[in-house]
Amino acid sequence: MPKIERSACLYLVLFLLCFALAGCAGEKASGPRNPEYENLKIVVEGDLEEPREITVGEMRTLPRKELNASFTRTTGLLEEFKAAGPTVKDVLDHLGIDYQDYKGIGFTGKDNYYCLVTPEIMAERELILALTIDGEQELPEELQPARLCVQGEHGPYWVKMVDKIVLYKEIPEKDITSVWVFKNLAEGIEPYPYEYYGSKDDAIELAQIFSRFDNVDSKAFFTMKSADGFKKNEAINMITQGYYIKVSGEDAPMNMAPNIKLGMNVAHIAWFSTNADAAIFPEEMAQLVGEQEAGAQRGISLKAILEEVGLFDLEEKQFELIGTDGNSVKVSGQDLNKGLLLINADGTYPVIWQEGAGHKSVDNLLRIRSI
């Protein structure tokens, strides 16, 4: 064979070899698939006539999405990896379920960690159930059967070990009628010493807080928002037992529960709400919405607080501000923008008014109630 032809053949062989290797690079070959892993199931339930299920093996037959995944844990740690798997929409389509029929989707891991994906995230993000990470043929045991990937969202949405999907056709509307100062609301509740990175910090059980609210709908959603604007929702019926708000130590206020892995918490909570009540942490709320001046003092606008937690059309309503001493002041919604909540060094939260408002101050605010 002429030298030129031999060289051409050699180049062709090398080209084909490189092409074959490139084709295998996406997912590392390691022999036959593990039947035990392939048969792991994800159960889909909620607003369905009956639960349905899908195996890992079935999910592999669906269109595969690849993602250069990255998210930040609440500890500040950045995680990056390559993920691949079907979209949640394609999984539901395979089961004869229309993704568009639902306004919320809950994802639960084998460790009972739960996260709710709201309509806004469903509309803006592509939800992927990763079956491989960094090209490996199957997920490590601590991630199986699948890992939820929601690019653009913080760590709490990246649920590991997803084995249950709960579909919600309706999300009950919130109608907030009371806004509480958490510290004063929790007065008298014995704190639990919750361990966090080797430190035992004071934590308040959420169930005891709920018992002080007027009405908690078990079908409603529990919403938290941090001082940096991160918002997370939970189903209330998932958090009524063994769920705490850590109120001292690093990253407080923070949600804590045995099934919440470190780094998947919501740190520096500014407020949380149920269907009818909200509770605020003024120090974090000041970072979230800012402060205003009244003479020589600075405080948080009452109007800004109420609008931030979900009260609107304030001008059409009447409100009662109740102090920890039982004294109260009735004001119109139009006057709320004249009131400021102060943060005192002694741990009290008085309400003062701009000059000319004509209302009494409140020494230490407990609650703002719509009347």
Side-chain angles (χ1 to χ4, degrees):
M1 181 182 292
K3 184 176 180 181
I4 295 177
E5 290 183 12
R6 286 201 303 270
S7 298
C9 287
L10 179 60
Y11 283 128
L12 178 61
V13 170
L14 289 173
F15 173 78
L16 291 174
L17 179 60
C18 291
F19 182 79
L21 289 173
C24 295
E27 186 172 310
K28 299 174 185 176
S30 57
R33 297 195 189 279
N34 176 3
E36 186 176 348
Y37 175 57
E38 297 300 302
N39 289 325
L40 291 178
K41 297 176 180 177
I42 294 178
V43 176
V44 181
E45 58 183 42
D47 292 335
L48 293 169
E49 291 182 2
E50 59 183 11
R52 304 177 196 181
E53 57 187 39
I54 187 170
T55 65
V56 169
E58 288 176 300
M59 287 193 290
R60 286 198 197 274
T61 68
L62 302 177
R64 167 182 160 129
K65 289 279 186 175
E66 297 187 353
L67 176 69
N68 290 322
S70 64
F71 68 89
T72 304
R73 290 178 171 270
T74 51
T75 56
L77 177 67
L78 177 67
E79 289 202 21
E80 296 180 293
F81 51 87
K82 293 185 182 296
T87 66
V88 173
K89 182 179 184 301
D90 285 342
V91 168
L92 295 182
D93 284 346
H94 180 76
L95 295 173
I97 301 169
D98 190 344
Y99 184 83
Q100 304 298 328
D101 287 345
Y102 296 91
K103 295 183 178 178
I105 304 179
F107 294 87
T108 304
K110 286 191 295 187
D111 58 358
N112 290 321
Y113 176 73
Y114 173 89
C115 182
L116 175 72
V117 175
T118 57
E120 297 79 17
I121 296 176
M122 290 174 64
E124 296 173 4
R125 312 289 191 198
E126 189 168 53
L127 312 182
I128 295 173
L129 288 170
L131 303 178
T132 67
I133 297 292
D134 291 333
E136 295 294 341
Q137 188 160 296
E138 64 180 59
L139 295 180
E141 188 174 351
E142 66 270 16
L143 297 180
Q144 297 177 6
R147 179 171 201 173
L148 178 65
C149 298
V150 192
Q151 189 74 1
E153 296 297 331
H154 285 70
Y157 284 96
W158 295 65
V159 183
K160 299 178 180 179
M161 300 185 285
V162 175
D163 68 348
K164 184 188 296 183
I165 296 174
V166 184
L167 303 175
Y168 301 92
K169 282 193 172 180
E170 296 295 333
I171 295 181
E173 291 287 336
K174 288 179 181 282
D175 182 16
I176 306 298
T177 56
S178 284
V179 179
W180 306 75
V181 174
F182 183 89
K183 179 184 176 183
N184 294 333
L185 171 64
E187 183 67 31
I189 297 176
E190 185 69 25
Y192 174 79
Y194 211 108
E195 187 166 345
Y196 183 67
Y197 284 110
S199 172
K200 289 193 173 180
D201 301 327
D202 287 346
I204 303 296
E205 188 178 22
L206 208 51
Q208 296 191 62
I209 292 295
F210 286 175
S211 71
R212 298 186 173 190
F213 289 162
D214 295 331
N215 170 43
V216 178
D217 184 347
S218 62
K219 295 181 180 180
F221 293 136
F222 176 72
T223 304
M224 294 169 282
K225 191 169 182 179
S226 66
D228 64 3
F230 171 62
K231 185 186 285 188
K232 185 173 187 287
N233 292 275
E234 310 273 23
I236 284 180
N237 61 6
M238 299 289 292
I239 63 168
T240 52
Q241 298 296 325
Y243 200 103
Y244 295 82
I245 301 295
K246 186 171 82 77
V247 294
S248 69
E250 189 177 357
D251 297 324
M254 173 187 280
N255 63 323
M256 306 290 289
N259 60 351
I260 301 178
K261 305 300 181 185
L262 295 181
M264 304 296 275
N265 319 74
V266 179
H268 302 292
I269 298 171
W271 60 266
F272 66 75
S273 67
T274 59
N275 54 295
D277 294 86
I280 67 167
F281 300 87
E283 289 80 1
E284 283 67 31
M285 184 65 84
Q287 295 181 48
L288 182 62
V289 303
E291 294 181 284
Q292 297 181 10
E293 293 184 0
Q297 295 181 296
R298 291 177 60 82
I300 316 167
S301 161
L302 298 182
K303 179 181 179 182
I305 290 173
L306 297 192
E307 288 183 339
E308 170 59 36
V309 302
L311 277 82
F312 302 101
D313 300 322
L314 303 181
E315 294 80 6
E316 303 172 8
K317 299 175 181 177
Q318 298 289 319
F319 295 89
E320 181 181 24
L321 280 62
I322 304 171
T324 55
D325 58 5
N327 292 323
S328 66
V329 177
K330 291 183 173 64
V331 300
S332 70
Q334 294 176 338
D335 282 349
L336 286 175
N337 63 348
K338 301 175 184 176
L340 295 180
L341 179 68
L342 306 186
I343 301 170
N344 281 351
D346 63 1
T348 59
Y349 303 98
V351 172
I352 64 169
W353 302 91
Q354 294 177 356
E355 188 176 350
H359 298 298
K360 293 188 303 180
S361 62
V362 177
D363 292 336
N364 191 14
L365 181 67
L366 170 64
R367 178 186 191 186
I368 302 175
R369 183 171 68 94
S370 175
I371 55 176

